[in-house]
Amino acid sequence: MFAFAIRSLAQGVLVLVTVAFIAFSMFRFVGDPVVNMLGQEATQQDRQELTERLGLNDPWPIQFARFLGNAAQGEFGVSYRQGRKVSDLIKERLPATLELAVLSAIFATGLGVLLGVYAAINRTGFVSNVIMTTSLIGVSLPTFLIGIGLIYIFAVELRWLPSFGRGDVVRLGWWSTGLLTESGRKSLILPVLTLGFFQLTLIMRLVRAEMLEVMRADFIRFARARGIADRSIELRHALRNTLIPVVTIAGLQLGSVIAFAIVTETVFQWPGLGALFVNAVQFADVPVMSAYLMFVAAVFVIVNLTVDLLYFILDPRLRSGRRVAKGH
Amino acid sequence: MATGDTAMEPVLSVRNLSLEFVTRRGVLRALNEISFDIARGEVLGVVGESGAGKSLTGTAIIGLIDKPGRLSGGEIWLKGQRIDNIGHDGLRKIRGRRIGMIFQDPLTSLNPLFRVGDQIAETVLTHMPVSKAEARARALALLTEVGIPAPESRIDAYPHEFSGGMRQRVVIALALAAEPDLIIADEPTTALDVSVQAQIITLLKRLCRTRGTSVMLITHDMGVIAETADRVAVMYAGRIVEIGPVADVIRQPKHPYATGLMGAIPALGAKVQRLTQISGAMPRLNAIPAGCAFRPRCTEAIGKCAEAVPPLVPVGATSARCWLHEAQVERSASHG
């Protein structure tokens, strides 16, 4: 188990370094930072001095090492457009995105597993058919359309919920949360539904398909032949076997929920990282873009590590170390 | 062993059991008029080639037939209680508690995510009014009894940590967990190493004998039947074609199909160039010929075989479903 965790960690670091290299090379393609910083009127002398001071005359491996060192400390330089430190910008925007993504994830996995299990157990029931048909809409409609549709119904027509922004937020240290005020909670509902709906339907369909597959397995037949109660067979024996493949897909999906909330954030004018990134792309704000790239990579690496560790909890077959330890 | 005792009520009594599959292209009869008894402590072997309906008979008894299959006739009695019409919950209380089942593949019979001890304790807790600690103690005793080495530590192991033979021992422990009256063993050794097969059969036989548990042993291994069973039923295309004491069926089979089957057993010491072989294949369910289903492959078929299905009639020590014997019975009667 320990060796496995170390190996996963090493792989994660490798991924991060590779992405860092791509983020680093972005600076080389998008103009000369010296020109950007000094403007047109600077003398040749000034440029050379600044180039030397920024270390841009050093060979690229040294520059890359410096970039890595800074990135490891969360420093990505100064935004070209806003003139503020990128790390501060991210810190400011992170709570909005994380709050949105985590709530969507809970909504999508919780309800997704529940509905999936229900649809698998009552395969031919009317409600199951309704669920399955509705889920087809979730899988096939693009996220922005769902968002706009929800805004039209709940914000424009019914006027129940706000259509944009986070509402009032409460600051807890550097973290800002919308969960503690009523307008903040109301503002969360539509974006969470929009962001989570696709994942919800995907997870639900996946759980249903996997569960139907598991229910055909020999050990389920054997459990029936032993007289185990149906509920126990479905919720204990079958569900746990279902969850192993589901965790993989759900994990990757949750990574993408956090990383690519861009569309939802744009539709709802959500002041999160996605919106920050979209603005950065429009102005070729390379430090922000490279920081966002690193952030996305880090999220995926962390999610994958968590999924790998979850396997160990769920599947005893992976804990092969035990066998040796017990000496049989 | 208990065959002579006619006064004793059989543990299992199957009467004219028929089973059919309703498909889009019509109704397929998979089991036809199956009747047999199993006495207390008796081992009934059920043999036949793949698709003859051996496993289906076992599955039907324990009530695990999946749609589109359905029982279309007949009765199943367990110790005087009719069990083919008692519904889902009634059957669930009988499964595991009064009829235990062992499947072919021990590698897939156990839930890979649960410790073997917990799986046994779960079965015990489902059927018996005991505490968790007692259930675990019982699981330990069962593991010891089925010959798992170091059961105290293996009780907390997962199925993948056992070899195939050891897993089948665990499966046997599971089937016996609630002290059932009858064990249905569906090809319990087919998936195992030849060297392990004998051990498992010996173990199963010993455990059932000490408990007085009856066994329905489904297999296509005639060697296993010869060593283990008291009586044997030979199945062909959904019918029992011959049933009787194992020694009689093996030495003097009455039905031509049984004769062919016994001819395919290699005898030790005898110098045989080739084993006998029954030409052709068993008909598919949707193409069973009229009359005797074995007629197209039978070397002794007579005119009557194409006309009607022969009844199962006593011939000497066994009963067979063959017109030849009806003729013999008539002939000997007229001579006598």
Side-chain angles (χ1 to χ4, degrees):
Chain A
M1 159 106 198
F2 187 66
F4 179 82
I6 294 290
R7 205 161 52 236
S8 308
L9 204 63
Q11 280 168 0
V13 170
L14 196 69
V15 168
L16 283 180
V17 171
T18 311
V19 174
F21 184 72
I22 296 169
F24 166 73
S25 38
M26 242 186 342
F27 285 97
R28 318 230 121 199
F29 295 123
V30 193
D32 183 353
V34 175
V35 175
N36 284 341
M37 288 168 89
L38 290 178
Q40 299 280 317
E41 261 96 88
T43 62
Q44 189 65 28
Q45 179 89 28
D46 291 339
R47 284 185 193 156
Q48 270 169 4
E49 267 177 28
L50 187 64
T51 309
E52 192 59 41
R53 210 172 62 221
L54 289 175
L56 295 178
N57 282 338
D58 296 341
W60 72 262
I62 291 178
Q63 290 188 44
F64 180 51
R66 203 182 298 132
F67 176 83
L68 271 186
N70 287 335
Q73 293 164 38
E75 292 299 334
F76 291 92
V78 175
S79 161
Y80 292 165
R81 196 171 76 88
Q82 309 200 28
R84 296 173 55 198
K85 278 172 82 182
V86 176
S87 53
D88 288 342
L89 285 174
I90 288 189
K91 225 167 160 184
E92 205 175 277
R93 300 294 195 108
L94 189 65
T97 293
L98 274 190
E99 226 160 60
L100 175 64
V102 168
L103 283 178
S104 302
I106 293 170
F107 162 69
T109 32
L111 204 59
V113 170
L114 219 67
L115 290 179
V117 168
Y118 180 87
I121 294 174
N122 310 297
R123 185 159 38 131
T124 48
F126 175 72
V127 180
S128 303
N129 284 329
V130 171
I131 293 173
M132 290 310 290
T133 313
T134 318
S135 75
L136 220 52
I137 300 171
V139 172
S140 47
L141 272 191
T143 306
F144 73 89
L145 210 61
I146 295 174
I148 291 170
L150 286 176
I151 288 177
Y152 178 73
I153 297 172
F154 292 102
V156 179
E157 289 294 321
L158 296 171
R159 294 177 180 280
W160 287 352
L161 299 165
S163 62
F164 68 91
R166 285 186 86 188
D168 299 327
V169 292
V170 176
R171 295 197 69 85
L172 305 165
W174 65 271
W175 189 272
S176 65
T177 176
L179 287 172
L180 297 177
T181 65
E182 206 198 324
S183 75
R185 282 193 293 267
K186 269 188 166 174
S187 305
L188 268 168
I189 296 177
L190 290 184
V192 164
L193 290 183
T194 307
L195 186 56
F197 196 60
F198 174 76
Q199 323 292 337
L200 164 73
T201 50
L202 191 79
I203 289 172
M204 193 201 87
R205 296 182 77 89
L206 186 71
V207 167
R208 176 180 173 275
E210 283 296 332
M211 184 121 172
L212 287 178
E213 183 73 35
V214 171
M215 289 301 277
R216 278 196 291 270
D218 279 357
F219 61 84
I220 294 294
R221 238 167 92 78
F222 188 51
R224 282 200 200 292
R226 284 186 281 140
I228 308 296
D230 291 349
R231 267 301 103 92
S232 176
I233 288 178
E234 286 154 1
L235 299 184
R236 247 167 65 84
H237 289 266
L239 184 57
R240 207 162 147 198
N241 280 278
T242 303
L243 286 182
I244 292 174
V246 170
V247 161
T248 316
I249 304 293
L252 287 176
Q253 288 300 319
L254 299 188
S256 64
V257 162
I258 297 175
F260 305 125
I262 299 173
V263 174
T264 308
E265 290 190 0
T266 307
V267 170
F268 288 93
Q269 295 288 299
W270 195 258
L273 286 176
L276 181 73
F277 176 68
V278 170
N279 287 331
V281 170
Q282 279 163 0
F283 291 92
D285 198 344
V286 179
V288 174
M289 281 157 69
S290 74
Y292 188 74
L293 196 63
M294 291 301 295
F295 166 75
V296 169
V299 164
F300 272 96
V301 164
I302 290 169
V303 165
N304 268 328
L305 267 179
T306 317
V307 166
D308 283 350
L309 294 181
L310 265 180
Y311 280 159
F312 270 98
I313 298 169
L314 283 171
D315 194 345
R317 282 166 291 190
L318 292 174
R319 296 174 232 154
S320 48
R322 279 171 52 96
R323 190 174 184 171
V324 181
K326 287 182 107 181
H328 287 295
Chain B
M1 53 203 292
T3 40
D5 193 355
T6 46
M8 224 163 92
E9 183 182 45
V11 167
L12 180 78
S13 181
V14 177
R15 288 281 154 265
N16 299 321
L17 186 72
S18 296
L19 185 145
E20 51 192 31
F21 287 97
V22 185
T23 68
R24 245 175 258 169
R25 273 180 244 145
V27 177
L28 300 177
R29 277 222 148 177
L31 294 180
N32 237 319
E33 312 268 305
I34 302 283
S35 294
F36 61 88
D37 289 343
I38 303 181
R40 188 182 133 76
E42 185 184 45
V43 178
L44 174 75
V46 180
V47 290
E49 56 198 283
S50 303
K54 313 183 294 289
S55 295
L56 216 49
T57 308
T59 317
I61 291 168
I62 205 164
L64 282 178
I65 296 291
D66 290 322
K67 279 182 180 165
R70 63 156 195 233
L71 297 182
S72 53
E75 295 168 5
I76 303 166
W77 295 77
L78 182 70
K79 281 196 165 173
Q81 183 198 357
R82 194 168 164 191
I83 59 166
D84 57 299
N85 59 355
I86 54 174
H88 185 78
D89 281 331
L91 266 172
R92 195 178 66 69
K93 291 196 180 88
I94 282 174
R95 284 184 209 135
R97 177 70 190 89
R98 298 181 58 197
I99 305 178
M101 187 132 189
I102 298 169
F103 288 116
Q104 180 174 346
D105 192 351
L107 300 183
T108 55
S109 290
L110 299 167
N111 191 331
L113 304 186
F114 292 88
R115 300 167 200 277
V116 296
D118 292 346
Q119 296 191 49
I120 300 175
E122 181 192 25
T123 314
V124 174
L125 283 168
T126 305
H127 297 295
M128 294 172 152
V130 294
S131 69
K132 278 192 176 171
E134 286 168 319
R136 187 178 161 87
R138 204 173 147 64
L140 187 62
L142 279 162
L143 287 177
T144 315
E145 209 176 354
V146 295
I148 302 283
E152 302 81 11
S153 63
R154 302 298 277 161
I155 190 170
D156 288 322
Y158 288 92
H160 72 273
E161 297 171 292
F162 290 85
S163 67
M166 284 297 152
R167 268 190 245 190
Q168 197 62 310
R169 285 171 194 261
V170 173
V171 169
I172 291 174
L174 270 162
L176 287 170
E179 302 286 336
D181 303 317
L182 171 72
I183 295 271
I184 299 173
D186 190 353
E187 310 210 12
T189 56
T190 310
L192 298 175
D193 262 340
V194 179
S195 55
V196 182
Q197 287 182 356
Q199 290 175 18
I200 295 293
I201 286 294
T202 313
L203 172 77
L204 184 64
K205 201 176 169 185
R206 177 169 59 78
L207 291 177
C208 289
R209 187 182 292 149
T210 52
R211 285 171 162 75
T213 312
S214 311
V215 181
M216 176 175 167
L217 179 62
I218 299 165
T219 178
H220 40 230
D221 186 338
M222 281 309 299
V224 167
I225 294 283
E227 267 172 51
T228 317
D230 302 305
R231 286 192 309 138
V232 59
V234 181
M235 289 190 71
Y236 186 81
R239 287 177 198 273
I240 291 181
V241 293
E242 180 156 2
I243 181 166
V246 74
D248 297 279
V249 176
I250 286 181
R251 247 179 271 125
Q252 294 169 306
K254 301 297 189 300
H255 194 281
Y257 177 66
T259 313
L261 214 55
M262 303 311 147
I265 309 174
L268 277 181
K271 280 193 181 168
V272 186
Q273 290 299 314
R274 288 182 72 91
L275 293 170
T276 29
Q277 159 186 339
I278 309 172
S279 59
M282 202 172 65
R284 294 164 59 92
L285 278 183
N286 55 7
I288 293 179
C292 178
F294 186 61
R295 181 182 50 83
R297 301 170 74 186
C298 186
T299 50
E300 300 169 59
I302 52 176
K304 206 171 181 183
C305 299
E307 289 160 20
V309 180
L312 192 63
V313 291
V315 186
T318 78
S319 298
R321 210 181 256 286
C322 182
W323 288 122
L324 291 174
H325 297 293
E326 192 212 41
Q328 270 177 12
V329 169
E330 278 169 3
R331 208 182 307 142
S332 61
S334 62
H335 284 299

